[in-house]
Amino acid sequence: MPWDNQSSGGSGGGWKGGNGGPWGQPPRNTGGGGGGGPNPPDIEELLRRSQDRLKSVLPGGGGGRTNPLVIFLIIAAVVVFAAFQFFTFRVQPDEVGVVLRFGEYDRQAPSGLNFRLPYPIETVFTPKVTRVNRITIGQVGEDSGSAGRDIPEESLMLTGDENIVDIDFSVFWEISNARDYLFNMEDPIGSIKAAAESAMREVVGRSNIQPLLTQARAITETDVQTLIQQTMDEYGAGVQINQVQLLKVDPPSEVIASFRDVQAARADQERSQNEAQTYANRVIPEARGQASQITEAAIAYRDRITNEAQGQADRFTQVYDSYRVAPEVTRQRMYLETLENVFSGTSKVIIDQKDGATGVLPYLPLDSLGRRNTTGGNQ
């Protein structure tokens, strides 16, 4: 029957053997003929011995006739004690009582003292529903002080990028439904362990090794917990998965040295890339600034030359228009403007050639001599 695979509470016992009575003794042989096994102890003999022991401790109990009231009280106490043990059971604060009547679920009993019918009419199981249980996959003999022996058959897993990773983890769970926990699965602990290992292999199989070793540990724990809970709910296991904790995530011990070299090379690669990106971020803006400056200077030069050429062309057009209207005047004006431009920056000597003039006169440029003397003194 299903409840034979579970451990019952301390008060759900009954007979200890197939032929045992309520107090662990074989039942009386009520049939005729030959008997099998020893005869049970006589109740009257037990009462007589108890009476003798009681008389020995009572005052004045060394002889004489025993008071019938004392015998009655003794018998009543024995009967009450036997009924108390036979018809009641105690459920601890961290337990819940599951009562079966003729092997079928009947009710749940709260913590404290509860009534039940004697075995085999009713049987009681008292699983601990508030205790947080722990299952470790990948290790055996693990405790809070030190790591246990590794189990490669459980811990070695294949990642999505075809690498092997060694993962040890623990699953923390508690009973959420005592009835489902007791009767829906034959081996609840084994089922939880198998579901946990399967969920971890599924999550690892769709992940790369690098995130598993670094930033994806918390995500992996959450995904595995969700998958285990879904599997347990499908089984109707009556358990609640509280937490999945990764204990160790490493490459296999045979290749860990090479893996560390690869990790160091990747770190150097990332460092070089970061340095190159930093240099590019510094140089590229400077080059863009210089290019923009050169482009703007070229545009300004182009605009200046274009405007000057356009101005000269417009001036020539205006002069040409004036020349067509009055050629002589325009020619004379152009001649005078040209002479003005030529002689405006040079020293000039004017000679009067009119009648009566004596010709070239000696000319002494006193002002020029004064400027030369001043310049020579400064030197």
Side-chain angles (χ1 to χ4, degrees), residues 9-56:
S11 59
W15 292 299
K16 300 298 182 180
N19 298 321
W23 291 278
Q25 300 293 338
R28 291 179 181 271
N29 185 11
T30 57
N39 293 327
D42 191 0
I43 299 296
E44 295 181 357
E45 180 66 19
L46 292 176
L47 294 176
R48 186 183 62 79
R49 292 179 181 178
S50 300
Q51 180 181 351
D52 292 341
R53 294 192 184 95
L54 183 62
K55 286 193 296 182
S56 64

Side-chain angles (χ1 to χ4, degrees), residues 4 78 88 127 178 240 258 270 286 309 316 319 346 348 357 360 369:
D4 292 337
V78 172
T88 61
Q240 175 67 37
S258 301
E270 293 180 357
E286 294 179 357
F316 179 81
V319 172
T346 61
K348 295 172 285 297
V360 177
L369 292 176

Side-chain angles (χ1 to χ4, degrees), residues 14-332:
W15 292 299
K16 300 298 182 180
N19 298 321
W23 291 278
Q25 300 293 338
R28 291 179 181 271
N29 185 11
T30 57
N39 293 327
D42 191 0
I43 299 296
E44 295 181 357
E45 180 66 19
L46 292 176
L47 294 176
R48 186 183 62 79
R49 292 179 181 178
S50 300
Q51 180 181 351
D52 292 341
R53 294 192 184 95
L54 183 62
K55 286 193 296 182
S56 64
V57 299
L58 290 177
R65 186 176 179 181
T66 306
N67 191 345
L69 180 60
V70 175
I71 298 177
F72 176 76
L73 293 176
I74 295 174
I75 295 175
V78 172
V79 171
V80 170
F81 179 76
F84 181 81
Q85 295 292 330
F86 204 60
F87 292 97
T88 61
F89 64 96
R90 182 179 297 276
V91 180
Q92 300 298 328
D94 61 340
E95 300 174 342
V96 64
V98 179
V99 182
L100 307 182
R101 181 170 294 176
F102 295 111
E104 183 180 3
Y105 174 82
D106 182 68
R107 66 186 183 277
Q108 252 179 273
S111 60
L113 196 62
N114 297 272
F115 174 80
R116 71 174 176 89
L117 296 177
Y119 183 86
I121 300 176
E122 289 186 348
T123 308
V124 180
F125 296 91
T126 55
K128 297 185 179 297
V129 295
T130 61
R131 182 177 64 185
V132 178
N133 305 279
R134 178 179 182 179
I135 297 177
T136 301
I137 293 91
Q139 289 183 359
V140 62
E142 187 270 341
D143 52 27
S144 59
S146 60
R149 180 175 58 86
D150 191 57
I151 306 177
E153 294 81 4
E154 297 179 356
S155 61
L156 294 180
M157 303 181 186
L158 186 65
T159 63
D161 53 355
E162 299 182 355
N163 286 299
I164 297 177
V165 64
D166 190 358
I167 297 181
D168 298 340
F169 65 100
S170 294
V171 179
F172 297 88
W173 61 277
E174 62 183 4
I175 300 174
S176 60
N177 188 309
R179 177 181 179 181
D180 294 343
Y181 174 77
L182 290 173
F183 308 118
N184 285 358
M185 291 193 302
E186 182 177 358
D187 183 13
I189 297 178
S191 300
I192 295 173
K193 184 174 182 179
E197 183 177 350
S198 175
M200 180 61 74
R201 291 186 182 277
E202 179 178 348
V203 173
V204 171
R206 60 176 184 239
S207 305
N208 295 334
I209 189 172
Q210 190 63 28
L212 288 174
L213 298 175
T214 54
Q215 74 273 11
R217 294 171 65 98
I219 299 176
T220 302
E221 293 174 347
T222 303
D223 292 345
V224 173
Q225 178 182 351
T226 303
L227 284 178
I228 299 174
Q229 188 65 61
Q230 290 177 356
T231 304
M232 292 295 101
D233 293 342
E234 292 175 359
Y235 292 166
V239 298
Q240 175 67 37
I241 307 300
N242 295 333
Q243 182 185 3
V244 174
Q245 181 180 8
L246 293 176
L247 302 177
K248 182 185 69 172
V249 182
D250 292 325
S253 57
E254 294 81 3
V255 298
I256 191 169
S258 301
F259 187 84
R260 287 175 179 172
D261 293 339
V262 173
Q263 294 299 104
R266 288 180 178 175
D268 293 340
Q269 179 185 6
E270 293 180 357
R271 179 177 55 82
S272 300
Q273 290 177 350
N274 294 334
E275 291 177 354
Q277 187 65 37
T278 302
Y279 178 75
N281 293 336
R282 178 174 58 85
V283 172
I284 291 177
E286 294 179 357
R288 288 176 177 173
Q290 294 176 359
S292 178
Q293 181 181 2
I294 294 173
T295 302
E296 292 177 356
I299 293 174
Y301 177 76
R302 180 198 64 186
D303 294 340
R304 181 175 62 83
I305 297 300
T306 302
N307 293 333
E308 290 179 356
Q310 186 66 37
Q312 292 176 2
D314 293 341
R315 180 176 177 275
F316 179 81
T317 302
Q318 293 175 359
V319 172
Y320 176 71
D321 293 338
S322 300
Y323 181 79
R324 287 191 306 172
V325 174
E328 293 297 331
V329 176
T330 303
R331 185 181 299 110
Q332 184 66 24

